[in-house]
Amino acid sequence: MGKPKLAITVGDAAGIGPELALQAAAAPQVLQIAQPLLVGPAAVLRRVAQQLDLPLPPVLDREMIAARKCPSESASIVSVGDLEATNVQPGSFSAATGWASFQAVDQSIAWARAGVIDGIVTGPIQKEAWHAAEAPFLGHTELLADRCGIDEYCMMLTGSECSTVLVTIHQPLVDAIASLSVASIERAIRLAGQAMQKRHQRSPRITVLGLNPHAGENGLISHGEEERLIQPAIDRVRAWSQQQGWQWQITDPVPPDTAFTPAMRRQTDVHVCMYHDQGLIPLKALSFDDGVNVTLGLPIVRTSVDHGTAMDLAWQGTASVTSMLSAISLAAELA
C-alpha cells in the first residue's frame, strides 16, 4: 500500500502555517510514515523557505495529483490559492490570505473524497480572514461537514494528557447553551465512544461533564440542564451500546471543576464537554504543544494543529512544530 499521501494545508499565509508545513515536510519522522503534499500558495512558501533557510520541496501541477502521478517518496508542494508573495506581509492577514487558505482546504477535501489522497492535516486559519473573503463557512469543521454531506459530526481534541469531545463548537456561550439538546449530547457521547473504542481496541471509559457548577447540585444552581438534557442522553447511549453488545463505561454528569483532576484523567479515555472552552481550556493547559484536532464522523481522515495562526510569531522560525508533527502522525495512523 505504501505510505499514506497526506495533504497538509498551510493555513493563512500571513501566519505561522507556512513555516510549520515546510519544517514538517523536511522532518525525517514525517517522511518515514507519510508522503506530505503541502497545499497552498507556492510563491509564499518559496519566500518563507528562503527567509528561514528551510528546504523547499518541488512544486507539482494539480493535474498530477488528480492523475495520481506524484512521486511516491518525497514531499511536494501543490500550489493552490493565487497570492503574490510580495503582497503578503507576515502578521497581516487579509481577505486575500483568507480566500487562499479556504481554497486550499476546499481542494484538499475534494481530493480526499475522490480517494486521490489518504487524509488531510490542516494548518491554522484566521477565521476573520475567511469572513473578510466572504467564505461561506465559519471554519474548517463546518466546511468539512458540508462538503462531506454529513449532519453527525463533532470536534475532538486529543493530546498526551487527555482527549475532549465538544457538543457545541464555535458559538457565543449563550447560543451554545441554548442549542444543547438530548440529541446533540447523545451524538457527541456516541461518536466519542466509537473513536475511543477504535483507538484503544476495548470498551471506552467516557466522562461526561455537567453544564453548571457542581453539575447543577440537583437543580439548585441550574435550570435543570443536567436532569433534562445530559442524563437522558447518557441513558440513551448506555442502552444503545448494550444493544451493540458493548460494555461502555459512561459516568453520570460530573462537576466540570473536578473532571480533569489527575485521578479522574487516569480513569478516563475521553471527556465529553458541553461547550468549546469547557474542553479547550484543560486540553490546552495540559497538552498545548502536542494537542491535535480531529473531526469525528467524517468519511475522510482530517486532523489539525490545535493552535492558531500566531501572527505575532509569523515567519520568524520560533513557533513550535510539535502540534503539526502530532497531527501528521495521527493522520497517518488513521489513514
Side-chain angles (χ1 to χ4, degrees):
M1 295 293 291
K3 296 181 294 186
K5 287 186 180 66
L6 300 179
I8 302 175
T9 62
V10 303
D12 197 287
I16 61 173
E19 64 201 80
L20 298 183
L22 288 166
Q23 289 179 57
Q29 63 266 45
V30 168
L31 297 174
Q32 288 172 3
I33 62 172
Q35 181 188 356
L37 304 174
L38 308 192
V39 184
V44 173
L45 287 165
R46 185 175 296 110
R47 181 180 167 194
V48 173
Q50 291 172 346
Q51 181 166 322
L52 299 180
D53 195 25
L54 294 170
L56 184 70
V59 179
L60 303 181
D61 293 332
R62 293 195 209 183
E63 292 73 18
M64 294 180 67
I65 303 301
R68 296 175 171 85
K69 293 182 178 179
C70 54
S72 60
E73 294 300 326
S74 60
S76 307
I77 293 172
V78 188
S79 192
V80 176
D82 293 328
L83 282 177
E84 291 290 338
T86 54
N87 293 337
V88 179
Q89 298 304 315
S92 298
F93 64 87
S94 65
T97 64
W99 186 244
S101 65
F102 173 82
Q103 288 180 299
V105 179
D106 207 16
Q107 178 64 78
S108 297
I109 295 170
W111 282 331
R113 294 192 66 209
V116 174
I117 59 173
D118 301 301
I120 306 170
V121 179
T122 52
I125 61 165
Q126 191 77 27
K127 289 183 174 63
E128 295 165 86
W130 277 30
H131 180 72
E134 299 183 355
F137 301 95
L138 178 62
H140 285 125
T141 306
E142 296 82 1
L143 171 60
L144 283 154
D146 179 84
R147 294 296 190 253
C148 293
I150 60 167
D151 296 317
E152 290 223 331
Y153 64 92
C154 60
M155 182 186 295
M156 179 175 78
L157 292 304
T158 183
S160 57
E161 295 296 324
C162 62
S163 296
T164 63
V165 166
L166 310 180
V167 177
T168 62
I169 46 175
H170 301 120
Q171 296 175 276
L173 184 55
V174 65
D175 296 335
I177 293 172
S179 71
L180 288 173
S181 67
V182 174
S184 65
I185 299 167
E186 177 187 359
R187 178 176 62 243
I189 299 170
R190 179 164 37 80
L191 290 174
Q194 290 172 323
M196 290 298 109
Q197 182 162 289
K198 181 178 180 181
R199 188 174 192 179
H200 298 297
Q201 295 297 304
R202 58 166 169 77
S203 295
R205 303 167 301 171
I206 306 167
T207 294
V208 181
L209 275 64
L211 173 67
N212 298 288
H214 304 178
E217 292 276 16
N218 296 313
L220 291 177
I221 48 176
S222 75
H223 294 290
E225 292 88 354
E226 284 76 14
E227 292 77 19
R228 291 185 296 106
L229 303 174
I230 302 176
Q231 189 65 55
I234 292 168
D235 294 339
R236 286 188 187 183
V237 180
R238 282 174 176 160
W240 174 81
S241 68
Q242 289 172 359
Q243 290 171 0
Q244 307 302 313
W246 300 333
Q247 299 298 319
W248 288 12
Q249 301 175 42
I250 312 173
T251 68
D252 289 339
V254 169
D257 60 349
T258 59
F260 291 90
T261 61
M264 285 294 293
R265 296 203 313 274
R266 283 193 294 270
Q267 55 187 318
T268 299
D269 295 315
V270 62
H271 292 76
V272 176
C273 304
M274 297 300 115
Y275 56 90
H276 184 277
D277 284 7
Q278 192 181 57
L280 269 289
I281 289 173
L283 187 285
K284 291 191 175 184
L286 294 164
S287 293
F288 182 77
D289 286 333
D290 65 358
V292 178
N293 182 344
V294 185
T295 306
L296 303 182
L298 294 177
I300 61 176
V301 172
R302 180 262 175 161
T303 66
S304 180
V305 295
D306 182 32
H307 58 70
T309 52
M311 291 289 171
D312 57 324
L313 301 179
W315 303 17
Q316 297 173 33
T318 58
S320 172
V321 73
T322 305
S323 182
M324 174 64 81
L325 296 177
S326 297
I328 293 171
S329 177
L330 183 56
E333 177 186 329
L334 298 173

